[in-house]
PDB file of all heavy atoms in Angstrom:
ATOM      1  N   HIS A   1      97.687 -44.810-124.074  1.00  0.00           N
ATOM      2  CA  HIS A   1      98.460 -45.270-122.986  1.00  0.00           C
ATOM      3  C   HIS A   1      99.867 -45.720-123.277  1.00  0.00           C
ATOM      4  O   HIS A   1     100.196 -45.580-124.405  1.00  0.00           O
ATOM      5  CB  HIS A   1      97.728 -46.514-122.286  1.00  0.00           C
ATOM      6  CG  HIS A   1      97.407 -47.626-123.159  1.00  0.00           C
ATOM      7  ND1 HIS A   1      96.216 -47.973-123.757  1.00  0.00           N
ATOM      8  CD2 HIS A   1      98.290 -48.667-123.579  1.00  0.00           C
ATOM      9  CE1 HIS A   1      96.271 -49.010-124.465  1.00  0.00           C
ATOM     10  NE2 HIS A   1      97.530 -49.431-124.447  1.00  0.00           N
ATOM     11  N   GLY A   2     100.640 -46.050-122.364  1.00  0.00           N
ATOM     12  CA  GLY A   2     101.927 -46.433-122.537  1.00  0.00           C
ATOM     13  C   GLY A   2     102.204 -47.742-123.232  1.00  0.00           C
ATOM     14  O   GLY A   2     101.356 -48.650-122.952  1.00  0.00           O
ATOM     15  N   GLN A   3     103.055 -47.889-124.128  1.00  0.00           N
ATOM     16  CA  GLN A   3     103.365 -49.099-124.799  1.00  0.00           C
ATOM     17  C   GLN A   3     103.688 -50.269-123.910  1.00  0.00           C
ATOM     18  O   GLN A   3     103.457 -51.425-124.308  1.00  0.00           O
ATOM     19  CB  GLN A   3     104.509 -48.903-125.877  1.00  0.00           C
ATOM     20  CG  GLN A   3     105.800 -48.566-125.312  1.00  0.00           C
ATOM     21  CD  GLN A   3     106.830 -48.352-126.410  1.00  0.00           C
ATOM     22  OE1 GLN A   3     107.955 -48.770-126.385  1.00  0.00           O
ATOM     23  NE2 GLN A   3     106.503 -47.641-127.524  1.00  0.00           N
ATOM     24  N   GLY A   4     104.159 -50.044-122.738  1.00  0.00           N
ATOM     25  CA  GLY A   4     104.544 -51.065-121.767  1.00  0.00           C
ATOM     26  C   GLY A   4     103.245 -51.591-121.022  1.00  0.00           C
ATOM     27  O   GLY A   4     103.380 -52.531-120.405  1.00  0.00           O
ATOM     28  N   SER A   5     102.192 -50.872-121.155  1.00  0.00           N
ATOM     29  CA  SER A   5     100.953 -51.170-120.583  1.00  0.00           C
ATOM     30  C   SER A   5     100.101 -52.177-121.223  1.00  0.00           C
ATOM     31  O   SER A   5      99.143 -52.878-120.793  1.00  0.00           O
ATOM     32  CB  SER A   5     100.144 -49.958-120.178  1.00  0.00           C
ATOM     33  OG  SER A   5     100.683 -49.240-119.113  1.00  0.00           O
ATOM     34  N   GLY A   6     100.334 -52.262-122.645  1.00  0.00           N
ATOM     35  CA  GLY A   6      99.434 -53.157-123.361  1.00  0.00           C
ATOM     36  C   GLY A   6      99.240 -52.683-124.699  1.00  0.00           C
ATOM     37  O   GLY A   6      99.745 -51.609-125.139  1.00  0.00           O
ATOM     38  N   ASN A   7      98.559 -53.541-125.569  1.00  0.00           N
ATOM     39  CA  ASN A   7      98.363 -53.139-127.012  1.00  0.00           C
ATOM     40  C   ASN A   7      96.967 -52.191-127.135  1.00  0.00           C
ATOM     41  O   ASN A   7      97.093 -51.056-126.849  1.00  0.00           O
ATOM     42  CB  ASN A   7      98.131 -54.228-127.876  1.00  0.00           C
ATOM     43  CG  ASN A   7      99.513 -54.981-128.073  1.00  0.00           C
ATOM     44  OD1 ASN A   7     100.632 -54.392-128.008  1.00  0.00           O
ATOM     45  ND2 ASN A   7      99.450 -56.399-128.002  1.00  0.00           N
ATOM     46  N   ASP A   8      95.913 -52.794-127.420  1.00  0.00           N
ATOM     47  CA  ASP A   8      94.630 -51.991-127.409  1.00  0.00           C
ATOM     48  C   ASP A   8      94.136 -51.706-126.039  1.00  0.00           C
ATOM     49  O   ASP A   8      93.631 -50.613-125.714  1.00  0.00           O
ATOM     50  CB  ASP A   8      93.579 -52.855-128.159  1.00  0.00           C
ATOM     51  CG  ASP A   8      92.332 -52.125-128.247  1.00  0.00           C
ATOM     52  OD1 ASP A   8      92.230 -50.882-128.411  1.00  0.00           O
ATOM     53  OD2 ASP A   8      91.227 -52.809-128.008  1.00  0.00           O
ATOM     54  N   MET A   9      94.271 -52.688-125.071  1.00  0.00           N
ATOM     55  CA  MET A   9      93.947 -52.459-123.718  1.00  0.00           C
ATOM     56  C   MET A   9      95.106 -52.322-122.837  1.00  0.00           C
ATOM     57  O   MET A   9      96.083 -52.969-122.997  1.00  0.00           O
ATOM     58  CB  MET A   9      93.137 -53.650-123.175  1.00  0.00           C
ATOM     59  CG  MET A   9      91.793 -54.028-123.994  1.00  0.00           C
ATOM     60  SD  MET A   9      90.543 -52.764-123.693  1.00  0.00           S
ATOM     61  CE  MET A   9      90.286 -53.009-121.997  1.00  0.00           C
ATOM     62  N   ALA A  10      95.021 -51.411-121.905  1.00  0.00           N
ATOM     63  CA  ALA A  10      96.089 -51.274-120.858  1.00  0.00           C
ATOM     64  C   ALA A  10      95.849 -52.216-119.710  1.00  0.00           C
ATOM     65  O   ALA A  10      94.676 -52.183-119.083  1.00  0.00           O
ATOM     66  CB  ALA A  10      96.078 -49.816-120.413  1.00  0.00           C
ATOM     67  N   THR A  11      96.817 -53.073-119.540  1.00  0.00           N
ATOM     68  CA  THR A  11      96.572 -54.092-118.458  1.00  0.00           C
ATOM     69  C   THR A  11      97.604 -53.984-117.421  1.00  0.00           C
ATOM     70  O   THR A  11      97.482 -54.717-116.349  1.00  0.00           O
ATOM     71  CB  THR A  11      96.558 -55.489-119.087  1.00  0.00           C
ATOM     72  OG1 THR A  11      97.794 -55.661-119.820  1.00  0.00           O
ATOM     73  CG2 THR A  11      95.421 -55.707-120.056  1.00  0.00           C
ATOM     74  N   SER A  12      98.770 -53.287-117.637  1.00  0.00           N
ATOM     75  CA  SER A  12      99.842 -53.267-116.746  1.00  0.00           C
ATOM     76  C   SER A  12     100.084 -51.800-116.364  1.00  0.00           C
ATOM     77  O   SER A  12     100.026 -51.010-117.277  1.00  0.00           O
ATOM     78  CB  SER A  12     101.083 -53.938-117.199  1.00  0.00           C
ATOM     79  OG  SER A  12     100.823 -55.285-117.356  1.00  0.00           O
ATOM     80  N   PHE A  13     100.523 -51.531-115.208  1.00  0.00           N
ATOM     81  CA  PHE A  13     100.723 -50.055-114.770  1.00  0.00           C
ATOM     82  C   PHE A  13     102.044 -50.025-113.789  1.00  0.00           C
ATOM     83  O   PHE A  13     102.269 -50.959-113.055  1.00  0.00           O
ATOM     84  CB  PHE A  13      99.520 -49.533-114.070  1.00  0.00           C
ATOM     85  CG  PHE A  13      98.292 -49.644-114.891  1.00  0.00           C
ATOM     86  CD1 PHE A  13      97.311 -50.685-114.751  1.00  0.00           C
ATOM     87  CD2 PHE A  13      97.908 -48.711-115.899  1.00  0.00           C
ATOM     88  CE1 PHE A  13      96.228 -50.812-115.515  1.00  0.00           C
ATOM     89  CE2 PHE A  13      96.798 -48.776-116.620  1.00  0.00           C
ATOM     90  CZ  PHE A  13      95.898 -49.840-116.494  1.00  0.00           C
ATOM     91  N   SER A  14     102.668 -48.890-114.029  1.00  0.00           N
ATOM     92  CA  SER A  14     103.854 -48.807-113.215  1.00  0.00           C
ATOM     93  C   SER A  14     104.371 -47.326-113.072  1.00  0.00           C
ATOM     94  O   SER A  14     103.973 -46.445-113.925  1.00  0.00           O
ATOM     95  CB  SER A  14     105.103 -49.580-113.927  1.00  0.00           C
ATOM     96  OG  SER A  14     106.366 -49.276-113.206  1.00  0.00           O
ATOM     97  N   ASP A  15     105.050 -47.146-112.037  1.00  0.00           N
ATOM     98  CA  ASP A  15     105.550 -45.775-111.751  1.00  0.00           C
ATOM     99  C   ASP A  15     107.043 -45.666-111.898  1.00  0.00           C
ATOM    100  O   ASP A  15     107.768 -44.820-111.500  1.00  0.00           O
ATOM    101  CB  ASP A  15     105.182 -45.169-110.312  1.00  0.00           C
ATOM    102  CG  ASP A  15     105.303 -43.718-110.144  1.00  0.00           C
ATOM    103  OD1 ASP A  15     105.251 -42.957-111.155  1.00  0.00           O
ATOM    104  OD2 ASP A  15     105.719 -43.345-109.040  1.00  0.00           O
ATOM    105  N   THR A  16     107.578 -46.694-112.470  1.00  0.00           N
ATOM    106  CA  THR A  16     109.063 -46.996-112.612  1.00  0.00           C
ATOM    107  C   THR A  16     109.611 -46.283-113.830  1.00  0.00           C
ATOM    108  O   THR A  16     109.008 -46.471-114.886  1.00  0.00           O
ATOM    109  CB  THR A  16     109.431 -48.428-112.584  1.00  0.00           C
ATOM    110  OG1 THR A  16     108.817 -49.035-111.432  1.00  0.00           O
ATOM    111  CG2 THR A  16     110.915 -48.713-112.697  1.00  0.00           C
ATOM    112  N   ASN A  17     110.736 -45.592-113.697  1.00  0.00           N
ATOM    113  CA  ASN A  17     111.300 -45.046-114.814  1.00  0.00           C
ATOM    114  C   ASN A  17     111.649 -45.974-115.935  1.00  0.00           C
ATOM    115  O   ASN A  17     112.191 -47.178-115.645  1.00  0.00           O
ATOM    116  CB  ASN A  17     112.535 -44.218-114.395  1.00  0.00           C
ATOM    117  CG  ASN A  17     113.202 -43.255-115.401  1.00  0.00           C
ATOM    118  OD1 ASN A  17     112.300 -42.664-116.185  1.00  0.00           O
ATOM    119  ND2 ASN A  17     114.444 -43.028-115.410  1.00  0.00           N
ATOM    120  N   GLU A  18     111.558 -45.686-117.235  1.00  0.00           N
ATOM    121  CA  GLU A  18     111.929 -46.362-118.389  1.00  0.00           C
ATOM    122  C   GLU A  18     110.893 -47.621-118.529  1.00  0.00           C
ATOM    123  O   GLU A  18     111.193 -48.539-119.305  1.00  0.00           O
ATOM    124  CB  GLU A  18     113.271 -46.927-118.360  1.00  0.00           C
ATOM    125  CG  GLU A  18     114.304 -45.798-118.402  1.00  0.00           C
ATOM    126  CD  GLU A  18     114.208 -44.874-119.407  1.00  0.00           C
ATOM    127  OE1 GLU A  18     113.825 -45.294-120.498  1.00  0.00           O
ATOM    128  OE2 GLU A  18     114.498 -43.745-119.280  1.00  0.00           O
ATOM    129  N   SER A  19     109.838 -47.782-117.734  1.00  0.00           N
ATOM    130  CA  SER A  19     108.961 -48.891-117.886  1.00  0.00           C
ATOM    131  C   SER A  19     108.033 -48.643-119.087  1.00  0.00           C
ATOM    132  O   SER A  19     107.532 -49.578-119.618  1.00  0.00           O
ATOM    133  CB  SER A  19     108.078 -49.032-116.616  1.00  0.00           C
ATOM    134  OG  SER A  19     107.147 -47.895-116.469  1.00  0.00           O
ATOM    135  N   HIS A  20     107.867 -47.483-119.503  1.00  0.00           N
ATOM    136  CA  HIS A  20     107.033 -47.064-120.653  1.00  0.00           C
ATOM    137  C   HIS A  20     105.602 -47.495-120.392  1.00  0.00           C
ATOM    138  O   HIS A  20     104.849 -47.788-121.350  1.00  0.00           O
ATOM    139  CB  HIS A  20     107.547 -47.792-122.027  1.00  0.00           C
ATOM    140  CG  HIS A  20     108.838 -47.114-122.321  1.00  0.00           C
ATOM    141  ND1 HIS A  20     109.453 -47.564-123.500  1.00  0.00           N
ATOM    142  CD2 HIS A  20     109.637 -46.090-121.965  1.00  0.00           C
ATOM    143  CE1 HIS A  20     110.640 -46.902-123.694  1.00  0.00           C
ATOM    144  NE2 HIS A  20     110.753 -46.022-122.688  1.00  0.00           N
ATOM    145  N   GLN A  21     105.378 -47.546-119.088  1.00  0.00           N
ATOM    146  CA  GLN A  21     103.892 -47.887-118.622  1.00  0.00           C
ATOM    147  C   GLN A  21     103.199 -46.714-118.136  1.00  0.00           C
ATOM    148  O   GLN A  21     103.769 -45.645-117.657  1.00  0.00           O
ATOM    149  CB  GLN A  21     103.981 -48.935-117.648  1.00  0.00           C
ATOM    150  CG  GLN A  21     104.453 -50.374-118.078  1.00  0.00           C
ATOM    151  CD  GLN A  21     104.152 -51.389-117.050  1.00  0.00           C
ATOM    152  OE1 GLN A  21     103.440 -51.381-116.109  1.00  0.00           O
ATOM    153  NE2 GLN A  21     105.098 -52.455-117.225  1.00  0.00           N
ATOM    154  N   SER A  22     101.860 -46.766-118.259  1.00  0.00           N
ATOM    155  CA  SER A  22     101.075 -45.649-117.727  1.00  0.00           C
ATOM    156  C   SER A  22     100.957 -45.900-116.197  1.00  0.00           C
ATOM    157  O   SER A  22     101.136 -47.035-115.712  1.00  0.00           O
ATOM    158  CB  SER A  22      99.594 -45.704-118.327  1.00  0.00           C
ATOM    159  OG  SER A  22      99.623 -45.501-119.660  1.00  0.00           O
ATOM    160  N   SER A  23     100.662 -44.744-115.451  1.00  0.00           N
ATOM    161  CA  SER A  23     100.547 -44.742-114.005  1.00  0.00           C
ATOM    162  C   SER A  23      99.114 -44.398-113.627  1.00  0.00           C
ATOM    163  O   SER A  23      98.657 -43.394-114.214  1.00  0.00           O
ATOM    164  CB  SER A  23     101.436 -43.840-113.383  1.00  0.00           C
ATOM    165  OG  SER A  23     102.922 -44.159-113.847  1.00  0.00           O
ATOM    166  N   LEU A  24      98.469 -45.107-112.766  1.00  0.00           N
ATOM    167  CA  LEU A  24      97.181 -44.875-112.263  1.00  0.00           C
ATOM    168  C   LEU A  24      97.222 -43.676-111.197  1.00  0.00           C
ATOM    169  O   LEU A  24      98.191 -43.558-110.535  1.00  0.00           O
ATOM    170  CB  LEU A  24      96.498 -46.121-111.760  1.00  0.00           C
ATOM    171  CG  LEU A  24      96.388 -47.343-112.681  1.00  0.00           C
ATOM    172  CD1 LEU A  24      95.812 -48.510-111.926  1.00  0.00           C
ATOM    173  CD2 LEU A  24      95.638 -46.882-113.915  1.00  0.00           C
ATOM    174  N   GLY A  25      95.979 -43.160-110.875  1.00  0.00           N
ATOM    175  CA  GLY A  25      95.763 -42.356-109.799  1.00  0.00           C
ATOM    176  C   GLY A  25      95.433 -40.847-110.111  1.00  0.00           C
ATOM    177  O   GLY A  25      95.202 -40.466-111.246  1.00  0.00           O
ATOM    178  N   PHE A  26      95.563 -40.184-109.026  1.00  0.00           N
ATOM    179  CA  PHE A  26      95.220 -38.697-109.077  1.00  0.00           C
ATOM    180  C   PHE A  26      96.481 -37.853-109.322  1.00  0.00           C
ATOM    181  O   PHE A  26      97.565 -38.056-108.778  1.00  0.00           O
ATOM    182  CB  PHE A  26      94.568 -38.203-107.768  1.00  0.00           C
ATOM    183  CG  PHE A  26      93.313 -38.730-107.644  1.00  0.00           C
ATOM    184  CD1 PHE A  26      93.057 -39.849-106.825  1.00  0.00           C
ATOM    185  CD2 PHE A  26      92.121 -38.219-108.224  1.00  0.00           C
ATOM    186  CE1 PHE A  26      91.754 -40.450-106.735  1.00  0.00           C
ATOM    187  CE2 PHE A  26      90.841 -38.788-108.210  1.00  0.00           C
ATOM    188  CZ  PHE A  26      90.691 -39.893-107.291  1.00  0.00           C
ATOM    189  N   TYR A  27      96.327 -36.831-110.194  1.00  0.00           N
ATOM    190  CA  TYR A  27      97.417 -35.845-110.571  1.00  0.00           C
ATOM    191  C   TYR A  27      96.839 -34.518-110.411  1.00  0.00           C
ATOM    192  O   TYR A  27      95.705 -34.321-110.447  1.00  0.00           O
ATOM    193  CB  TYR A  27      97.911 -36.062-111.925  1.00  0.00           C
ATOM    194  CG  TYR A  27      98.484 -37.407-112.390  1.00  0.00           C
ATOM    195  CD1 TYR A  27      97.587 -38.542-112.643  1.00  0.00           C
ATOM    196  CD2 TYR A  27      99.770 -37.616-112.653  1.00  0.00           C
ATOM    197  CE1 TYR A  27      98.047 -39.748-113.091  1.00  0.00           C
ATOM    198  CE2 TYR A  27     100.353 -38.851-112.996  1.00  0.00           C
ATOM    199  CZ  TYR A  27      99.472 -39.866-113.292  1.00  0.00           C
ATOM    200  OH  TYR A  27      99.917 -41.063-113.663  1.00  0.00           O
ATOM    201  N   LEU A  28      97.764 -33.542-110.429  1.00  0.00           N
ATOM    202  CA  LEU A  28      97.482 -32.228-110.752  1.00  0.00           C
ATOM    203  C   LEU A  28      98.052 -31.834-112.097  1.00  0.00           C
ATOM    204  O   LEU A  28      99.166 -32.024-112.331  1.00  0.00           O
ATOM    205  CB  LEU A  28      98.003 -31.220-109.663  1.00  0.00           C
ATOM    206  CG  LEU A  28      97.272 -31.275-108.267  1.00  0.00           C
ATOM    207  CD1 LEU A  28      98.122 -30.271-107.323  1.00  0.00           C
ATOM    208  CD2 LEU A  28      95.832 -31.093-108.338  1.00  0.00           C
ATOM    209  N   ALA A  29      97.113 -31.334-112.979  1.00  0.00           N
ATOM    210  CA  ALA A  29      97.572 -30.762-114.274  1.00  0.00           C
ATOM    211  C   ALA A  29      98.142 -29.449-114.051  1.00  0.00           C
ATOM    212  O   ALA A  29      97.504 -28.468-113.569  1.00  0.00           O
ATOM    213  CB  ALA A  29      96.492 -30.762-115.260  1.00  0.00           C
ATOM    214  N   ASP A  30      99.515 -29.204-114.190  1.00  0.00           N
ATOM    215  CA  ASP A  30     100.173 -28.156-113.728  1.00  0.00           C
ATOM    216  C   ASP A  30     100.566 -27.104-114.854  1.00  0.00           C
ATOM    217  O   ASP A  30      99.653 -26.481-115.410  1.00  0.00           O
ATOM    218  CB  ASP A  30     101.423 -28.530-112.955  1.00  0.00           C
ATOM    219  CG  ASP A  30     101.923 -27.422-111.966  1.00  0.00           C
ATOM    220  OD1 ASP A  30     101.344 -26.364-111.995  1.00  0.00           O
ATOM    221  OD2 ASP A  30     102.935 -27.746-111.285  1.00  0.00           O
ATOM    222  N   ASP A  31     101.839 -26.966-115.134  1.00  0.00           N
ATOM    223  CA  ASP A  31     102.364 -25.884-115.984  1.00  0.00           C
ATOM    224  C   ASP A  31     102.672 -26.269-117.391  1.00  0.00           C
ATOM    225  O   ASP A  31     102.931 -27.551-117.625  1.00  0.00           O
ATOM    226  CB  ASP A  31     103.584 -25.274-115.252  1.00  0.00           C
ATOM    227  CG  ASP A  31     104.751 -26.274-115.263  1.00  0.00           C
ATOM    228  OD1 ASP A  31     104.481 -27.311-114.540  1.00  0.00           O
ATOM    229  OD2 ASP A  31     105.790 -26.050-115.605  1.00  0.00           O
ATOM    230  N   VAL A  32     102.689 -25.372-118.283  1.00  0.00           N
ATOM    231  CA  VAL A  32     102.771 -25.561-119.679  1.00  0.00           C
ATOM    232  C   VAL A  32     104.286 -25.417-120.145  1.00  0.00           C
ATOM    233  O   VAL A  32     104.982 -24.473-119.501  1.00  0.00           O
ATOM    234  CB  VAL A  32     102.010 -24.641-120.444  1.00  0.00           C
ATOM    235  CG1 VAL A  32     102.061 -24.812-122.020  1.00  0.00           C
ATOM    236  CG2 VAL A  32     100.489 -24.683-120.103  1.00  0.00           C
ATOM    237  N   TYR A  33     104.817 -26.227-120.973  1.00  0.00           N
ATOM    238  CA  TYR A  33     106.223 -25.962-121.456  1.00  0.00           C
ATOM    239  C   TYR A  33     106.240 -26.387-122.928  1.00  0.00           C
ATOM    240  O   TYR A  33     105.286 -27.044-123.387  1.00  0.00           O
ATOM    241  CB  TYR A  33     107.175 -26.777-120.664  1.00  0.00           C
ATOM    242  CG  TYR A  33     107.123 -28.236-120.900  1.00  0.00           C
ATOM    243  CD1 TYR A  33     108.126 -28.914-121.652  1.00  0.00           C
ATOM    244  CD2 TYR A  33     106.211 -28.958-120.436  1.00  0.00           C
ATOM    245  CE1 TYR A  33     108.118 -30.223-121.959  1.00  0.00           C
ATOM    246  CE2 TYR A  33     106.217 -30.389-120.589  1.00  0.00           C
ATOM    247  CZ  TYR A  33     107.161 -30.985-121.343  1.00  0.00           C
ATOM    248  OH  TYR A  33     107.116 -32.314-121.592  1.00  0.00           O
ATOM    249  N   PHE A  34     107.306 -26.097-123.586  1.00  0.00           N
ATOM    250  CA  PHE A  34     107.532 -26.518-124.941  1.00  0.00           C
ATOM    251  C   PHE A  34     108.651 -27.546-125.027  1.00  0.00           C
ATOM    252  O   PHE A  34     109.769 -27.259-124.635  1.00  0.00           O
ATOM    253  CB  PHE A  34     107.785 -25.407-125.889  1.00  0.00           C
ATOM    254  CG  PHE A  34     106.663 -24.506-126.156  1.00  0.00           C
ATOM    255  CD1 PHE A  34     106.277 -23.487-125.256  1.00  0.00           C
ATOM    256  CD2 PHE A  34     105.846 -24.678-127.341  1.00  0.00           C
ATOM    257  CE1 PHE A  34     105.080 -22.649-125.493  1.00  0.00           C
ATOM    258  CE2 PHE A  34     104.701 -23.919-127.551  1.00  0.00           C
ATOM    259  CZ  PHE A  34     104.394 -22.884-126.658  1.00  0.00           C
ATOM    260  N   GLY A  35     108.348 -28.765-125.440  1.00  0.00           N
ATOM    261  CA  GLY A  35     109.295 -29.845-125.433  1.00  0.00           C
ATOM    262  C   GLY A  35     109.393 -30.489-126.856  1.00  0.00           C
ATOM    263  O   GLY A  35     108.969 -29.901-127.825  1.00  0.00           O
ATOM    264  N   LYS A  36     109.864 -31.791-126.880  1.00  0.00           N
ATOM    265  CA  LYS A  36     110.015 -32.373-128.223  1.00  0.00           C
ATOM    266  C   LYS A  36     108.670 -32.761-128.954  1.00  0.00           C
ATOM    267  O   LYS A  36     108.684 -32.917-130.111  1.00  0.00           O
ATOM    268  CB  LYS A  36     110.752 -33.737-128.064  1.00  0.00           C
ATOM    269  CG  LYS A  36     110.160 -34.764-126.992  1.00  0.00           C
ATOM    270  CD  LYS A  36     111.053 -35.997-126.968  1.00  0.00           C
ATOM    271  CE  LYS A  36     110.392 -36.998-126.135  1.00  0.00           C
ATOM    272  NZ  LYS A  36     111.313 -38.143-125.894  1.00  0.00           N
ATOM    273  N   HIS A  37     107.576 -32.653-128.191  1.00  0.00           N
ATOM    274  CA  HIS A  37     106.225 -32.960-128.663  1.00  0.00           C
ATOM    275  C   HIS A  37     105.488 -31.646-128.886  1.00  0.00           C
ATOM    276  O   HIS A  37     104.348 -31.668-129.112  1.00  0.00           O
ATOM    277  CB  HIS A  37     105.521 -33.839-127.840  1.00  0.00           C
ATOM    278  CG  HIS A  37     106.020 -35.129-127.607  1.00  0.00           C
ATOM    279  ND1 HIS A  37     106.100 -36.133-128.623  1.00  0.00           N
ATOM    280  CD2 HIS A  37     106.693 -35.763-126.622  1.00  0.00           C
ATOM    281  CE1 HIS A  37     106.676 -37.172-128.197  1.00  0.00           C
ATOM    282  NE2 HIS A  37     106.957 -37.068-126.943  1.00  0.00           N
ATOM    283  N   GLY A  38     106.135 -30.455-128.759  1.00  0.00           N
ATOM    284  CA  GLY A  38     105.615 -29.212-128.865  1.00  0.00           C
ATOM    285  C   GLY A  38     104.999 -28.799-127.572  1.00  0.00           C
ATOM    286  O   GLY A  38     105.565 -29.113-126.440  1.00  0.00           O
ATOM    287  N   ARG A  39     103.907 -28.031-127.674  1.00  0.00           N
ATOM    288  CA  ARG A  39     103.249 -27.478-126.344  1.00  0.00           C
ATOM    289  C   ARG A  39     102.746 -28.532-125.621  1.00  0.00           C
ATOM    290  O   ARG A  39     101.935 -29.351-126.029  1.00  0.00           O
ATOM    291  CB  ARG A  39     102.224 -26.458-126.826  1.00  0.00           C
ATOM    292  CG  ARG A  39     101.685 -25.645-125.631  1.00  0.00           C
ATOM    293  CD  ARG A  39     100.721 -24.455-126.123  1.00  0.00           C
ATOM    294  NE  ARG A  39     100.204 -23.691-125.023  1.00  0.00           N
ATOM    295  CZ  ARG A  39      98.966 -23.632-124.759  1.00  0.00           C
ATOM    296  NH1 ARG A  39      98.079 -24.345-125.333  1.00  0.00           N
ATOM    297  NH2 ARG A  39      98.532 -22.862-123.643  1.00  0.00           N
ATOM    298  N   SER A  40     103.181 -28.699-124.375  1.00  0.00           N
ATOM    299  CA  SER A  40     102.802 -29.858-123.479  1.00  0.00           C
ATOM    300  C   SER A  40     102.549 -29.337-122.126  1.00  0.00           C
ATOM    301  O   SER A  40     102.711 -28.199-121.775  1.00  0.00           O
ATOM    302  CB  SER A  40     104.018 -30.786-123.363  1.00  0.00           C
ATOM    303  OG  SER A  40     104.437 -31.205-124.724  1.00  0.00           O
ATOM    304  N   LEU A  41     102.005 -30.292-121.242  1.00  0.00           N
ATOM    305  CA  LEU A  41     101.415 -29.958-119.964  1.00  0.00           C
ATOM    306  C   LEU A  41     102.005 -30.911-118.942  1.00  0.00           C
ATOM    307  O   LEU A  41     101.785 -32.125-119.095  1.00  0.00           O
ATOM    308  CB  LEU A  41      99.948 -29.987-119.941  1.00  0.00           C
ATOM    309  CG  LEU A  41      99.311 -29.493-118.558  1.00  0.00           C
ATOM    310  CD1 LEU A  41      99.495 -28.067-118.251  1.00  0.00           C
ATOM    311  CD2 LEU A  41      97.771 -29.767-118.628  1.00  0.00           C
ATOM    312  N   ARG A  42     102.731 -30.456-117.919  1.00  0.00           N
ATOM    313  CA  ARG A  42     103.252 -31.330-116.894  1.00  0.00           C
ATOM    314  C   ARG A  42     102.252 -31.783-115.871  1.00  0.00           C
ATOM    315  O   ARG A  42     101.252 -30.932-115.641  1.00  0.00           O
ATOM    316  CB  ARG A  42     104.381 -30.519-116.156  1.00  0.00           C
ATOM    317  CG  ARG A  42     105.670 -30.337-116.950  1.00  0.00           C
ATOM    318  CD  ARG A  42     106.764 -29.698-116.036  1.00  0.00           C
ATOM    319  NE  ARG A  42     108.080 -29.494-116.791  1.00  0.00           N
ATOM    320  CZ  ARG A  42     108.363 -28.328-117.366  1.00  0.00           C
ATOM    321  NH1 ARG A  42     107.525 -27.359-117.182  1.00  0.00           N
ATOM    322  NH2 ARG A  42     109.445 -28.254-117.968  1.00  0.00           N
ATOM    323  N   LEU A  43     102.402 -32.937-115.400  1.00  0.00           N
ATOM    324  CA  LEU A  43     101.572 -33.561-114.407  1.00  0.00           C
ATOM    325  C   LEU A  43     102.338 -33.918-113.171  1.00  0.00           C
ATOM    326  O   LEU A  43     103.434 -34.425-113.262  1.00  0.00           O
ATOM    327  CB  LEU A  43     100.890 -34.883-114.951  1.00  0.00           C
ATOM    328  CG  LEU A  43     100.040 -34.742-116.219  1.00  0.00           C
ATOM    329  CD1 LEU A  43      99.602 -36.240-116.765  1.00  0.00           C
ATOM    330  CD2 LEU A  43      98.856 -33.971-115.871  1.00  0.00           C
ATOM    331  N   ASP A  44     101.722 -33.545-112.056  1.00  0.00           N
ATOM    332  CA  ASP A  44     102.286 -33.934-110.714  1.00  0.00           C
ATOM    333  C   ASP A  44     101.468 -34.980-110.124  1.00  0.00           C
ATOM    334  O   ASP A  44     100.297 -34.873-109.785  1.00  0.00           O
ATOM    335  CB  ASP A  44     102.290 -32.657-109.756  1.00  0.00           C
ATOM    336  CG  ASP A  44     103.384 -31.706-110.128  1.00  0.00           C
ATOM    337  OD1 ASP A  44     104.440 -32.114-110.484  1.00  0.00           O
ATOM    338  OD2 ASP A  44     102.986 -30.499-110.048  1.00  0.00           O
ATOM    339  N   GLY A  45     102.080 -36.166-109.935  1.00  0.00           N
ATOM    340  CA  GLY A  45     101.430 -37.353-109.333  1.00  0.00           C
ATOM    341  C   GLY A  45     101.181 -37.126-107.857  1.00  0.00           C
ATOM    342  O   GLY A  45     102.187 -36.879-107.196  1.00  0.00           O
TER     343      GLY A  45
END
């Protein structure tokens, strides 16, 4: 989970840019691209 959400347990969630928090809810796992982490998959919230 995001470092802004907590340490071992995720306790805070946000959809705000630069919050570094995870976001809850339903997504569509969409298209593949290559980025700084290599092969990755975009999510649409």
Side-chain angles (χ1 to χ4, degrees):
H1 58 256
Q3 62 182 223
S5 288
N7 294 320
D8 176 44
M9 298 290 298
T11 57
S12 301
F13 305 95
S14 174
D15 194 30
T16 304
N17 195 28
E18 302 301 330
S19 67
H20 294 177
Q21 293 185 20
S22 296
S23 302
L24 301 179
F26 291 97
Y27 300 77
L28 290 180
D30 199 1
D31 58 308
V32 181
Y33 76 102
F34 287 85
K36 62 181 180 180
H37 298 289
R39 190 166 182 250
S40 305
L41 182 66
R42 291 189 177 94
L43 297 174
D44 285 321

